[in-house]
């Protein structure tokens, strides 16, 4: 399972374990012995945090401002680490109205509910759909984290049905998360391919309702499901026929680009694949977050770059957290760069298992050709004219014919600037053209400018203008007027004084 | 094992056997939701199958293709194929696919129909042609479903969107609640349908449907007819109602009042002519003059004779005399139907005519304004004291005109004649014209009132005051001027001096507003062609006024071509406004003209284009118009155009004032002061009288703006927004008055801002605090005169005398109940709100006199008592006159009264020429003084007459608001939750919905919560009615209240008697 979500999960779980250990340690420091009370305190704190998020949700619904909702969605990750049954039970009691089917469904997943600490605190207000989905999501996360997969699947199905009943734009972000965990829980249970029709249908609904978050998430889930089943063709078709929403959040965009990269690489469109992978890395979270995603993405990128004929940046292999996982790829790069077929073959042999696990094996195998191409290039650069037999021996090819074939392919692909003299059986290189005389630098420059402009445009769009901020200047305008009036007055007085003097 | 690809099924499509293909298609139909990305690659094959005529399952192919396109997001294609799938496309299915396609279907159909009907595109897309019939089939099926579920409102809404009148009719036929559905359709028609042509069709249909009702809703029907501009039918309805019964005549009267409120002058005239042709109108030749509206213009002598006689009494009087002495001709003409019933009907018909001619409405409003005048002269005094400059002086006079608009109280001018004498030249013109504001609607005596200023008696007057006099005459008769139009025409042709011709043009424009009278138009055009800047400006404006809303292409051509020819900016400006006025309310008809003007290189013409858009889309709330205006507001190079464009937004959106603050909030912060000014005015226009908090929040900081004219605009706009508000409902109103006084008194303040503050103060207390500014009538239609008034008022930027036009926009906030004889019976209305909420603002407290406040409440009852005495005197006089012969003793009395005052004495203050002080003011006050004892004498006899019941009622009702004010100020106890208002009462917009009719005797014809003039049905017709006495113009109220406002002399100090004192 070399897909990014798996990696993501792994790192998250590691982090979670670390944080749990940490909190446990601090708890031990503060409250010796009385473990029960400490846990109750922690629960209360968690509960308060969740209540805070619910307030954010209410505010978001009231003001129709998405930024509050973004904050809530972001809080899901830290919150899930601190969840437990007791907290969820208390949440259900606090928020769900007295008797309702959704409450029963909610409580059915909590084993503690049956024992029933009967705190039937009446919900004060009507339960917002947003809040309900949020609480339901927390429950689903808890089930996933405690490895109750079967229950998680049924819980996610309930949530799926519930979210289908609403058509509220304020709900979009939360439903998008719900879709994701729906797919995730089915994947863990090994049933992802069975829910594809449902997801396709919901994708259509989301498109019609212009729910861009849902669209983006569902497209990614579908792609993932296709790729898992190696239905590359289907995935490619879906990508071609569906426009990915421009307003999609960054993390979905990163995933989408990664999947696209995989699809394009498999379709032999390496340069496009490279672009997508670069975008994916750019959009991915930086630092130590989403490390797994970056690892898998970089691996693929290295291979694709090699396939284009580029040499990956050395820096990429040195980055913290990437060095060890990328070590085989470093060796691969070195082999390709040197153009030595024997060395390449040994690297492949040694790391076959690793590459297969990373889903890059097939691409790596394709690299053989590149190794030869690099060899040809080096030969073409070194000799202005060389016989094809010599080329064959240098490249460890079987015959001069094969060398001719390789050279011809390289010329056609634009790898080398050379001509083949059939009769003489030689390969003669042309003078290398002055690159600066061509439009190439201008094109490169234009590309960079476009990129910068795009970044700028995006940041301008992301800017917020606080409402009614502009009225603050008005006080100063009034002051200025007063000052002017006073100045006029003094000027008048002065001129009068002048007259007095005469 | 789940299927992972549809490739196998798709391969079957390549087979030759059609059975295999059919099987593949039916399989694909189930798979399409999951494998659409794959199937979409082969969609062309499926399409070919659909087009293959030999293929048995071509419809299924269409369905599959439709579904594929649906998933691909190509909804047009999808719709196309879905329609070709015919019965396979099941619209009753609740699947998302079906719902979406049906929605698209409706959208497409609406688009096609709108293109077909509104834009008259006869040739549709080839593709659209193909599916048209099928589209209609689906739509009809949708409607059937609506009918089944009895969702008639949905059906009506969509039918109107689709321009399907047949569906509308069917809905109305099928529904059980026809009234509600029709009213709903009417509302949609007026508010939503933007296209003028279709709206006409729709209205015609509605009228037909209204007619088919068991009990036709004549009130709504007449509303439609106004919009349809169909006077003959309106006349027919009125005639039918009047001729039927007394009860239905009340409805007719009510309709007539509504008509007068909503319809244009031209429309009313045509209703008149139509009515005049009816058999009921055939009356003795001698009385024709009184009945025929065109000839209703009283000659000067008649006006004198009627001076003291109430016209309300005169009208039925004339009517009642008519049947008594029918001349032989009439007898011959209708020998068969001269029964008693007919006579009663004739009488009712005569009453109807007085309403339609507008006399009754104007007279009732005048009565209301005179009776309830609460203008606080102390503000004016404060202004007068702090004014130092000719601009502010002139503004103060104008503000006085606003404050007393329609109240006929010119006491302030009388009291300050010497101060008034400082006005010279054009200031004098404006000052004279302000009398027109004050006496607005006082039509019967207009010529006599203004006699001192009119050119005929120009012994000592100057051209400026003569011109002002003519302008004032126009203001008095604005939008109802058949009586003076000819007089003004004659003056225009006779005059030579510029100011006189200027005034005559303005006056003529006002009086003949919207009549499109060719002779008037030609006369004004002649003045224009003399190419005199001053006269030309007024002439251009007047041409527009005369042709108001006619969209006459000849007039537009005249004006635009002359505007391009002339060198004078003033003339171009006049014409620019004129052109805009011509296109009033014509919606998209004006688009071409507006576009050509907006693209002109002359900024004044672009400015005219902006106003043309404003007037054409006045009150329509049209998005395209707003977008256009906003575009010019931010892109034009000329400041004038930008200012006008922002300001015009107010005109377009005045029916939804709550939208405007949001829209202009950014513009109000523009770097360009002209745009800021425009934003302020847009708020003032759109939110006038609403006291909308958001609007005030934007305007408030603008009163401190760095640029003087922005402050001016903000102050005026605030005045408009806060008009009539007291400090309780809107605390800002009190502060605003203070602010204005502060600005005016501030030595360092710019004169423009002072001008704004003075006008703002005048506007906020306009019409004796009994009027509001409203660009729409009570029924929500655009008030043409008001829109024109506000638009021309905005031209004060260039020409101060045009400020007076604002008084056209003043609408009395009255609630007047009338009985079948069109008299005001004494009834009470109950306002279910704390009296203080809608009370008049408290009078200005000055530091010198603290008692004033207290005195006012005590005094009012006296005034009321005196008023009543006079009324009773008049009533007895009228009664005696009625018994004897018409116009007997009263006319004699009036004659003596006028003779006493002497021919030279005008009952208005004359503005002194230079230093000469006239004796006029003294003599006129002498007349009023002389009238008082006479009134007292006659009341002696009449007080016994009324029944005791009515007497007690009288004392109750005669002090209208004192009941409430008394409790709120005197008693510290809790304020009552309601107040009682007696018949002609002030009811503010917000108060309307809280008002109910008190007492069981009368029943309103329509809901009293609408306000305005309401006919009351008498449930006990046998009992004697007690009527509200009428008050005399600028007589008792104005003169007395001024005196009453002064503090009573304090009682003498306690003293001890001693002989030394002798």
């Amino acid at each position: 399972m070399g897909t990014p979500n798996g990696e993501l999960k792994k790192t998250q779980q590691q982090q979670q374990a670390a944080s749990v250990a940490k909190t446990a340690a601090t708890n031990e420091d503060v409250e010796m012995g009385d473990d029960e009370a400490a846990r109750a305190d922690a629960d209360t704190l968690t509960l308060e945090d969740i209540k805070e998020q619910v307030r954010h949700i209410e505010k978001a619904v009231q003001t129709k401002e998405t930024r509050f909702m973004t904050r809530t969605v972001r809080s899901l990750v830290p919150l899930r680490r601190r969840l437990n049954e007791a907290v969820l039970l208390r949440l259900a009691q606090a928020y769900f109205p007295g008797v309702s089917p959704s409450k029963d469904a909610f409580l059915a997943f909590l084993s503690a509910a049956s024992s029933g600490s009967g705190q039937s605190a009446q919900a004060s207000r009507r339960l917002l759909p947003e809040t309900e989905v949020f609480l339901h999501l927390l429950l689903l996360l808890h089930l996933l984290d405690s490895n109750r997969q079967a229950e998680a699947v049924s819980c996610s199905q309930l949530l799926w049905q519930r979210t289908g009943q609403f058509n509220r734009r304020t709900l979009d972000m939360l439903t998008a998360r719900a879709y994701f965990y729906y797919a995730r829980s089915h994947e863990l249970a090994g049933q992802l391919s069975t829910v594809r029709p449902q997801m396709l249908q919901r994708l259509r609904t989301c498109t019609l309702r212009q729910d861009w978050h849902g669209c983006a998430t569902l497209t990614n889930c579908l792609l993932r499901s296709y790729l898992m089943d190696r239905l590359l063709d289907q995935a490619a078709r879906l990508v071609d026929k569906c426009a990915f929403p421009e307003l999609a959040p960054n993390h979905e965009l990163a995933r989408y680009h990664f999947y696209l990269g995989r699809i394009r690489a498999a379709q032999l469109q390496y340069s496009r694949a490279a672009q997508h992978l670069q975008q994916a890395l750019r959009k991915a979270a930086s630092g130590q977050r989403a490390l797994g995603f970056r690892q898998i993405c970089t691996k693929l990128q290295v291979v694709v770059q090699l396939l284009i004929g580029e040499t990956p940046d050395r820096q990429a292999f040195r980055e913290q957290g990437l060095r060890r996982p990328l070590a085989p790829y470093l060796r691969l790069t070195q082999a390709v760069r040197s153009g030595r077929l024997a060395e390449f073959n040994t690297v492949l042999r040694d790391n076959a298992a690793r590459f297969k696990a990373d889903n890059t094996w097939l691409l790596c195998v394709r690299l053989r050709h590149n190794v030869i191409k690099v060899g040809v290039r080096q030969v073409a650069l070194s000799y202005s004219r060389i016989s094809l037999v010599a080329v064959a021996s240098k490249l460890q090819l079987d015959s001069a014919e094969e060398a001719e074939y390789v050279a011809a392919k390289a010329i056609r692909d634009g790898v080398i600037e050379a001509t083949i003299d059939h009769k003489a059986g030689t390969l003669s290189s042309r003078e290398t053209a002055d690159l600066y005389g061509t439009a190439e630098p201008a094109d490169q420059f234009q590309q960079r400018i476009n990129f910068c402009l795009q970044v700028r445009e995006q940041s301008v769009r992301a800017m917020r203008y606080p409402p009614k901020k502009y009225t603050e200047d008005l006080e100063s305008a009034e002051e200025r007027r007063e000052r002017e009036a006073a100045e006029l007055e003094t000027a008048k007085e002065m001129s009068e004084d002048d007259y007095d003097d005469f | 094992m789940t299927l992972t690809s549809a490739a196998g099924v798709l391969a079957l499509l390549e087979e030759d056997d059609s059975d295999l293909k059919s099987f593949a298609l039916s399989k694909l139909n189930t798979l399409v939701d999951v494998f659409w990305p794959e199937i979409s690659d082969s969609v062309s094959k499926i399409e070919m199958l659909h087009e293959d005529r030999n293929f048995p399952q071509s419809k299924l192919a269409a369905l599959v293709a439709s579904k594929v396109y649906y998933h691909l997001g190509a909804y047009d294609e999808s719709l196309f194929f879905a329609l070709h799938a015919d019965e396979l496309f099941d619209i009753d299915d609740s699947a998302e696919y079906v719902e979406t396609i049906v929605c698209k279907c409706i959208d497409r159909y609406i688009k096609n129909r709108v293109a077909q009907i509104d834009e008259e595109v006869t040739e549709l897309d080839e593709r659209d042609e193909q599916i048209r019939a099928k589209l209609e089939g689906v739509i009809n099926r949708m409607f059937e479903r609506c009918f089944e579920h009895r969702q008639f409102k949905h059906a009506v809404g969509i039918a109107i969107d689709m321009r399907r009148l047949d569906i509308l009719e069917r809905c109305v036929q099928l529904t059980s609640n026809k009234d509600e559905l029709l009213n709903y359709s009417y509302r949609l028609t007026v508010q939503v349908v933007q296209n003028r042509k279709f709206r006409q069709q729709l209205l015609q249909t509605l009228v037909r449907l209204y007619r088919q009702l068991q009990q036709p809703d004549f009130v709504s029907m007449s509303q439609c007819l106004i919009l349809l501009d169909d006077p003959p039918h309106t006349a027919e309805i009125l005639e039918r109602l009047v001729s039927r019964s007394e009860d239905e005549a009340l409805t007719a009267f009510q309709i007539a009042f509504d008509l007068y409120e909503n319809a244009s002058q031209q429309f009313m005239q045509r209703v008149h002519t139509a009515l005049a042709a009816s058999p009921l109108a055939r009356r003795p030749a001698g009385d024709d003059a009184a009945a025929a509206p065109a000839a209703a213009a009283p000659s000067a002598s008649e006006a004198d004779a009627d001076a003291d006689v109430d016209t309300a009494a005169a009208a039925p009087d004339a009517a009642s005399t008519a049947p008594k002495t029918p001349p032989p001709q009439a007898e011959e003409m209708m020998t068969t139907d001269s029964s008693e019933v007919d006579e009663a009907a004739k009488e009712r018909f005569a009453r109807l005519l007085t309403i339609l001619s507008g006399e009754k409405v104007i007279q009732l409003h005048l009565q209301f304004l005179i009776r309830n005048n609460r203008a606080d002269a102390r503000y004016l005094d404060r202004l007068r004291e702090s004014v130092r400059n000719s601009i502010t002086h002139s503004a103060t006079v104008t503000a006085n005109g606003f404050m007393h608009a329609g109240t006929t109280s010119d006491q302030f001018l009388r009291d300050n004649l010497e101060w008034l004498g400082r006005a010279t030249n054009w200031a004098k013109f404006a000052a004279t014209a302000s009398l027109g504001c004050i006496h607005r609607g006082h039509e019967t005596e207009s010529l006599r009132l203004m006699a001192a200023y009119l050119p005929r008696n120009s012994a000592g007057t100057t051209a400026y005051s003569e011109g002002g006099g003519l302008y004032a005459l126009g203001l008095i008769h604005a939008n109802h001027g058949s009586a003076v139009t000819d007089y003004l025409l004659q003056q225009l042709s006779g005059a030579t001096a510029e100011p006189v011709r200027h005034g005559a043009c303005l006056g003529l424009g006002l009086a003949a507003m919207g009549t499109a009278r060719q002779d008037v138009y030609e006369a004004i055009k002649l003045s224009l062609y003399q190419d005199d800047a001053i006269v030309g400006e007024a002439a251009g404006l007047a041409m527009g006024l005369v042709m108001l809303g006619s969209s006459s292409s000849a007039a537009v051509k005249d004006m635009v071509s002359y505007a391009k020819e002339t060198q004078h900016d003033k003339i171009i400006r006049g014409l620019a406004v004129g052109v805009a006025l011509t296109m009033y309310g014509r919606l998209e008809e004006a688009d071409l003209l507006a576009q050509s003007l907006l693209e002109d290189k002359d900024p004044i013409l672009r400015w005219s284009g902006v106003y043309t858009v404003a007037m054409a889309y006045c009150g329509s709330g049209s998005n395209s118009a707003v977008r256009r205006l906003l575009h010019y507001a931010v892109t034009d190079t000329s400041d004038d155009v930008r200012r006008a464009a922002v300001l015009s937004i107010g005109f377009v959106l005045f029916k939804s004032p709550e939208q405007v603050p949001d829209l202009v909030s950014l513009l109000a912060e523009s770097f360009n002061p002209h745009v800021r000014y425009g934003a302020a005015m847009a708020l003032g226009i759109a939110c006038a009288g609403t006291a909308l908090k958001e609007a005030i929040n934007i305007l408030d900081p603008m009163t401190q703006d760095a640029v003087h004219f922005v402050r001016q605009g903000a102050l005026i706009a605030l005045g408009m927004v806060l008009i009539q508000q007291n400090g309780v409902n809107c605390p800002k109103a009190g502060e605003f008055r203070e602010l204005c006084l502060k600005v005016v008194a501030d030595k360092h303040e710019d004169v423009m801002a002072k001008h704004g503050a003075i006008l703002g103060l005048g506007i906020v207390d306009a019409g004796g605090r009994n009027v509001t500014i409203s660009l729409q009538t009570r029924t929500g239609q655009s008030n043409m005169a008001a829109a024109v008034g506000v638009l021309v008022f905005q031209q004060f930027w260039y020409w101060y005398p045009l400020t007076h036009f604002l008084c056209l926009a003043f609408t009395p906030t009255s609630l007047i109940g009338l009985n079948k004889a069109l008299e005001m019976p004494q009834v009470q209305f109950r306002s279910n709100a704390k009296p203080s909420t809608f009370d008049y603002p408290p009078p200005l407290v000055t530091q010198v006199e603290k008692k004033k406040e207290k005195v006012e409440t005590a005094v009012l009852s006296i005034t009321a008592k005196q008023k009543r005495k006079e009324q009773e005197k008049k009533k007895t006089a009228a009664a005696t006159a009625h018994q004897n012969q018409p116009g007997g003793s009263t006319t004699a009395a009036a004659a003596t009264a006028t003779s006493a005052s002497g021919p030279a004495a005008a009952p208005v203050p004359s503005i002194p020429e230079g230093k000469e002080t006239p004796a006029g003011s003294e003599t006129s006050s002498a007349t009023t003084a002389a009238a008082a004892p006479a009134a007292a004498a006659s009341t002696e006899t009449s007080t016994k007459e009324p029944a005791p019941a009515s007497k007690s009622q009288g004392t109750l009702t005669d002090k209208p608001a004192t009941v409430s004010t008394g409790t709120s100020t005197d008693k510290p106890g809790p304020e009552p939750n309601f107040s009682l208002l007696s018949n002609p009462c002030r009811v503010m917009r917000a108060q309307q919905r809280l008002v109910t009719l008190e007492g069981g005797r009368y029943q309103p014809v329509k809901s009293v919560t609408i306000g305005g003039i309401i006919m009351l049905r008498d449930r006990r017709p046998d009992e004697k009615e007690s009527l509200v006495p009428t008050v005399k113009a600028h007589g008792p109220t104005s003169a007395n209240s001024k005196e009453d406002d002064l503090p009573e002399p304090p009682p003498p100090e306690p003293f001890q008697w001693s002989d030394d004192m002798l």
Side-chain angles (χ1 to χ4, degrees), chain B residues 849-881:
Chain B
E849 275 299 321
K850 279 191 175 174
K851 282 181 192 167
K852 277 177 181 172
E853 228 184 332
K854 219 172 126 193
V855 170
E856 196 182 54
T857 47
V859 162
L860 278 168
S861 64
I862 298 172
T863 342
K865 208 179 279 173
Q866 203 162 351
K867 247 189 275 171
R868 199 181 69 232
K869 280 178 188 167
E870 277 207 17
Q871 288 320 310
E872 277 160 352
K873 167 227 150 187
K874 207 181 282 174
K875 215 168 68 186
T876 44
T880 46

Side-chain angles (χ1 to χ4, degrees), chain B residues 816-846:
Chain B
I816 303 171
L818 291 183
N819 64 7
K820 61 178 195 279
L822 303 184
E823 290 152 333
M824 289 187 271
Q826 286 194 342
V827 286
Q828 283 192 318
F829 300 100
R830 180 193 171 101
S831 160
N832 292 317
K834 287 185 178 165
S836 66
T837 320
F838 297 108
D839 201 9
Y840 289 97
L844 182 69
V845 187
T846 46

Side-chain angles (χ1 to χ4, degrees), chain A residues 193 197 200-201 204-205 208-209 226 231 234 237-238 241-242 468 470-471 474 477-478 480-481 485 489, chain B residues 4-5 33-38 40-41 70-72 75 96 100 665-666 669 701 704-706 711 748:
Chain A
S193 57
L200 274 165
Q201 196 192 9
R204 186 84 349 243
T205 315
L208 286 172
R209 292 179 182 171
Y226 282 133
L231 296 169
Q234 299 283 358
R237 284 202 171 105
L238 181 71
K241 303 287 159 28
C242 257
K468 304 285 167 202
Y470 47 82
T471 46
L474 276 169
E478 186 190 3
R480 192 179 68 211
R481 211 159 61 72
E489 182 77 349
Chain B
T4 56
S5 167
D33 287 338
V34 180
F35 293 106
W36 59 267
E38 205 175 354
S40 65
D41 285 341
Y70 158 72
H71 283 296
L72 285 173
Y75 300 114
E96 206 166 41
T100 314
S665 65
L666 272 179
E669 307 295 336
Q704 307 296 336
D705 199 279
R711 297 201 293 277
H748 304 302

Side-chain angles (χ1 to χ4, degrees), chain B residues 70-345:
Chain B
Y70 158 72
H71 283 296
L72 285 173
Y75 300 114
D76 283 349
E77 314 283 321
S78 179
L79 172 62
F80 177 81
F81 285 108
L83 290 174
H84 279 94
D86 287 343
E87 71 279 353
L88 288 180
F89 177 67
D90 178 15
I91 63 162
D92 298 324
D93 197 349
S94 62
E96 206 166 41
Y97 157 70
V98 175
E99 277 176 10
T100 314
I101 296 303
V102 167
C103 280
K104 298 288 168 194
C105 190
I106 292 172
D107 283 351
R108 170 72 81 87
Y109 189 69
I110 289 174
K111 215 178 98 198
N112 283 356
R113 294 282 297 181
V114 168
Q116 226 177 323
I117 290 177
D118 292 2
E119 288 139 41
E120 289 164 354
V121 181
T122 44
E123 286 173 29
L124 287 174
D125 231 299
E126 195 188 321
R127 241 177 148 179
D128 283 356
E129 275 303 342
Q130 283 179 29
I131 56 170
R132 185 203 257 165
K134 296 190 174 178
L135 208 54
E136 206 150 294
V138 173
I139 298 293
N140 289 341
R141 262 149 76 191
M142 289 305 298
F143 276 125
E144 292 305 327
R145 220 169 68 180
C146 271
F147 296 150
E148 268 172 42
H149 297 139
R150 312 198 64 74
Q151 293 162 325
F152 292 111
K153 277 196 177 176
H154 296 188
V156 162
I158 294 181
I160 288 179
D161 263 348
M162 288 179 177
R163 317 287 190 246
R164 285 283 294 268
L165 296 172
D166 53 327
I167 299 289
L168 175 66
E169 281 181 49
R170 270 194 65 195
C171 284
V172 176
Q173 277 159 15
L174 289 171
T175 182
S176 51
N177 193 351
K178 290 188 166 53
D179 280 335
E180 198 197 325
L181 199 64
L182 277 173
N183 286 338
Y184 177 70
S185 323
Y186 172 71
R187 231 178 24 248
L188 283 181
T189 312
V190 177
Q191 290 168 1
V192 180
V193 179
Q194 298 263 338
N195 183 279
R196 197 179 154 89
K197 202 180 129 205
F198 177 66
R199 195 159 78 184
Q200 303 294 70
Q201 292 177 7
L202 203 56
L203 287 168
Q204 273 161 6
T205 317
L206 282 178
V207 169
R208 204 172 64 239
L209 291 171
Y210 273 125
R211 242 173 240 269
Q212 287 163 2
L213 290 184
Q214 296 271 310
Q215 289 182 324
D217 180 356
F218 290 109
V219 179
S220 311
M221 203 152 123
S222 54
Q223 296 285 357
C224 292
L225 289 171
I226 296 173
L227 287 176
L228 268 179
D229 198 16
D230 186 359
H233 277 108
T234 321
E236 188 196 315
I237 292 173
L238 288 174
E239 195 191 330
R240 214 168 81 198
L241 285 172
V242 167
S243 57
R244 272 201 207 149
S245 71
E246 192 72 44
D247 197 42
E248 289 192 44
L250 283 181
T251 318
F253 293 157
Q254 186 66 62
I255 292 173
F257 278 122
D258 292 349
L259 269 184
Y260 186 77
E261 195 181 349
N262 292 319
S264 72
Q265 202 176 347
Q266 199 188 8
F267 183 87
M268 297 307 294
Q269 274 181 1
R270 281 161 59 199
V271 172
H272 248 303
T273 34
L275 278 178
S278 88
L280 283 171
R282 280 187 223 136
R283 48 182 54 258
D287 280 318
D288 253 352
S299 62
S301 62
E302 267 181 353
D304 274 2
D306 284 8
D308 279 2
V309 186
D310 175 23
T311 16
D317 190 36
S320 59
T321 48
K324 275 179 194 164
T325 55
Q329 301 166 299
E331 282 278 66
E332 285 164 18
M333 283 167 90
M334 34 184 190
T335 39
T336 48
D337 51 4
S338 61
S339 59
E340 274 177 42
V341 185
D342 202 24
E343 275 171 23

